[in-house]
Amino acid sequence: MYKMQQTWRWFGPGDPVSLQDAKQTGASGIVTALHHIPHGETWPVEEVMKRKNEIEKAGLSWSVVESITVHESIKTRTGGYKNYIDKYKESIRHVAQCGIPVITYNFMPVNDWTRTQLDYTMPDGSKALYFNWVDLAVFDIYILKRKEAELNYPESITRQAAERFREYNEQQLQELAAVVMFGIPGEKKMTVPEMRASLEPYREIDKAALRDNLCEFLKEIAPVADECGVKLAIHPDDPPFDILGLPRTVNTQADFDYLYAKVPDPSNGICFCTGSLGASAANDLPVMAKQNDSRIHFIHLRNVRKDPEGNFYEADHLGGDVDMYAVVKELLTIQQTYRISIPFRPDHGHQMLDDTGKTTNPGYSAIGRLRGLAEIRGLEEGIIRSEYTS
Ligand code: DNO
């Protein structure tokens, strides 16, 4: 029986959740990155090996690199982008040399994932991550002051944003900005002027142009990955729609199909993130799992609950709009077909119980993720017992 490999994201030695904690969750694999290496620079073999040994000393294995960040020059195809592509290829080779089989990355312009609140209170008192259009508009129009930002929102949102801006005090505005620009735990934070400057090159780049830049990048790196036996897993846009006037190009099945058609190399695959994709009502996750089939190289399981305005909060892993039972069932079928175990991790979790009040990486406190992992582990076992044994 081929089951998902249970993994746990760890942000390196500074993560308040230790490797030993990870071990206690029952996971066998670690998902991590060399967060201290500046974006765009080559990951040296020695540094990868050092981290790998540390993980193995704790009785775990380094299953997936998440992420080797793609430098902005590659996304915009400006400046020294060729040089950065060469460095990316070198990092792929080094990761392969150390025996790590999967690399996740994303092609979201400027920001990685974006939320507007990191401590949205659930009815049971636990805290969740939240995305709200009105808050995003407050940030965009009144803090970032992006030119013609109002044009990207429906009138009802800009009207509410104007009211909310009047209600927020200086501290609330600063907090909102810090949340929107949060980025990756442990990595350098952007300032508002830096974000403004990073948005500038994208005034010339629409969805089609960004997609071309992605395909050009993939055409260069996928043959390298194939040659050294590493799989590439692109993470979908989170959230799965355009924000801050930026183009987005990886959030529907049509987007994935386009990438496979342009770059058919087997290494070219995806990170099937049910939380990111699930925030769009247009995406039917069980159907998409089936459609992406052998292109799924890594799995993030997480749930979201959307409202009619398109705002969403991160729900319990088995409790939101995504039919997790149907998704896991489909993933099990794919794994039996290809006789592989695909690594998965419980993506995010609520801050709850003993983690409440602790300083943790948003979405990555231990107990909420442990709950998600345990529920999904049980769900998978239940499906196996009922579907695969007579
Ligand atoms: C958020 C994560 C993302 C993801 C990257 C992958 O919690 O899922 O930051 O790691 O976008 O490149």
Side-chain angles (χ1 to χ4, degrees):
M1 194 68 217
Y2 294 89
K3 298 185 190 181
M4 296 187 284
Q5 190 206 356
Q6 297 169 31
T7 70
W8 186 260
R9 191 178 199 179
W10 178 62
F11 287 101
D15 193 326
V17 184
S18 68
L19 284 173
Q20 188 175 40
D21 296 336
K23 181 81 183 157
Q24 289 182 13
T25 67
S28 62
I30 286 293
V31 173
T32 194
L34 299 181
H35 295 285
H36 59 287
I37 310 256
H39 294 176
E41 294 309 318
T42 306
W43 287 18
V45 179
E46 310 73 57
E47 291 287 306
V48 181
M49 260 339 263
K50 196 170 138 212
R51 188 56 55 83
K52 187 176 182 236
N53 290 336
E54 199 178 343
I55 292 168
E56 287 176 357
K57 234 167 67 200
L60 295 153
S61 64
W62 189 349
S63 312
V64 178
V65 165
E66 179 175 354
S67 307
I68 304 184
T69 303
V70 178
H71 195 271
E72 284 294 302
S73 300
I74 299 179
K75 297 180 205 161
T76 55
R77 249 178 135 68
T78 55
Y81 74 92
K82 285 195 176 132
N83 190 21
Y84 284 120
I85 294 182
D86 286 342
K87 289 185 179 187
Y88 207 96
K89 288 181 188 168
E90 246 187 326
S91 295
I92 294 176
R93 290 199 184 94
H94 291 172
V95 162
Q97 208 175 313
C98 297
I100 306 159
V102 184
I103 297 172
T104 308
Y105 67 103
N106 71 75
F107 217 74
M108 289 180 252
V110 181
N111 225 8
D112 199 293
W113 60 312
T114 303
R115 295 288 182 277
T116 57
Q117 198 181 338
L118 304 175
D119 58 355
Y120 184 70
T121 306
M122 305 297 293
D124 64 7
S126 62
K127 308 279 184 190
L129 307 185
Y130 181 56
F131 179 90
N132 179 278
W133 278 111
V134 175
D135 274 333
L136 189 76
V138 170
F139 171 78
D140 197 2
I141 301 169
Y142 300 101
I143 301 177
L144 194 59
K145 301 191 171 73
R146 187 169 61 86
K147 208 168 149 216
E148 298 182 333
E150 316 75 40
L151 302 181
N152 290 130
Y153 301 90
E155 205 266 328
S156 65
I157 298 287
T158 45
R159 194 167 12 86
Q160 290 178 74
E163 274 165 37
R164 203 170 287 180
F165 173 63
R166 275 196 298 276
E167 283 161 25
Y168 278 169
N169 60 33
E170 192 48 39
Q171 195 194 337
Q172 284 170 310
L173 291 170
Q174 276 177 19
E175 276 169 15
L176 174 62
V179 170
V180 173
M181 299 189 298
F182 189 82
I184 302 297
E187 295 190 3
K188 193 178 161 286
K189 303 289 169 223
M190 240 190 284
T191 62
V192 169
E194 280 166 353
M195 180 171 244
R196 225 174 261 141
S198 317
L199 294 176
E200 209 40 47
Y202 291 96
R203 292 167 71 87
E204 311 294 323
I205 301 176
D206 61 6
K207 177 176 166 129
L210 183 70
R211 173 185 259 186
D212 284 349
N213 295 353
L214 169 56
C215 288
E216 290 307 316
F217 172 58
L218 267 175
K219 278 183 203 154
E220 296 253 3
I221 63 165
V224 174
D226 273 326
E227 186 192 300
C228 57
V230 164
K231 288 178 172 149
L232 301 171
I234 194 164
H235 188 283
D237 304 325
D238 184 4
F241 28 74
D242 295 354
I243 51 166
L244 306 175
L246 291 165
R248 302 275 236 189
T249 186
V250 191
N251 50 63
T252 64
Q253 188 57 41
D255 292 339
F256 290 140
D257 289 340
Y258 187 90
L259 294 183
Y260 307 149
K262 287 280 175 197
V263 188
D265 311 49
S267 62
N268 176 25
I270 66 166
C271 169
F272 189 70
C273 178
T274 56
S276 305
L277 295 167
S280 161
N283 289 331
D284 181 333
L285 273 298
V287 171
M288 285 177 86
K290 199 186 182 81
Q291 287 169 323
N292 288 288
D293 194 58
S294 63
R295 296 283 178 177
I296 299 178
H297 294 161
F298 183 33
I299 303 161
H300 285 178
L301 296 179
R302 158 164 88 72
N303 224 320
V304 285
R305 179 77 74 193
K306 305 180 277 294
D307 73 15
E309 240 175 15
N311 311 307
F312 63 87
Y313 65 83
E314 299 194 0
D316 290 331
H317 289 75
L318 304 189
D321 297 341
V322 175
D323 183 348
M324 205 56 83
Y325 165 80
V327 166
V328 172
K329 199 167 156 197
E330 204 52 67
L331 293 169
L332 274 167
T333 306
I334 295 169
Q335 293 176 104
Q336 307 324 303
T337 307
Y338 297 99
R339 300 171 171 272
I340 46 165
S341 280
I342 308 174
F344 105 92
R345 66 175 179 84
D347 191 22
H348 306 176
H350 292 167
Q351 192 181 33
M352 61 194 291
L353 301 175
D354 265 18
D355 281 334
T356 310
K358 278 191 196 167
T359 305
T360 57
N361 290 323
Y364 288 94
S365 47
I367 301 171
R369 280 189 294 157
L370 171 60
R371 174 175 167 178
L373 175 65
E375 288 180 350
I376 291 164
R377 177 156 60 208
L379 174 64
E380 185 185 49
E381 200 55 37
I383 297 172
I384 291 171
R385 290 285 181 102
S386 62
E387 299 284 324
Y388 293 91
T389 52
S390 46

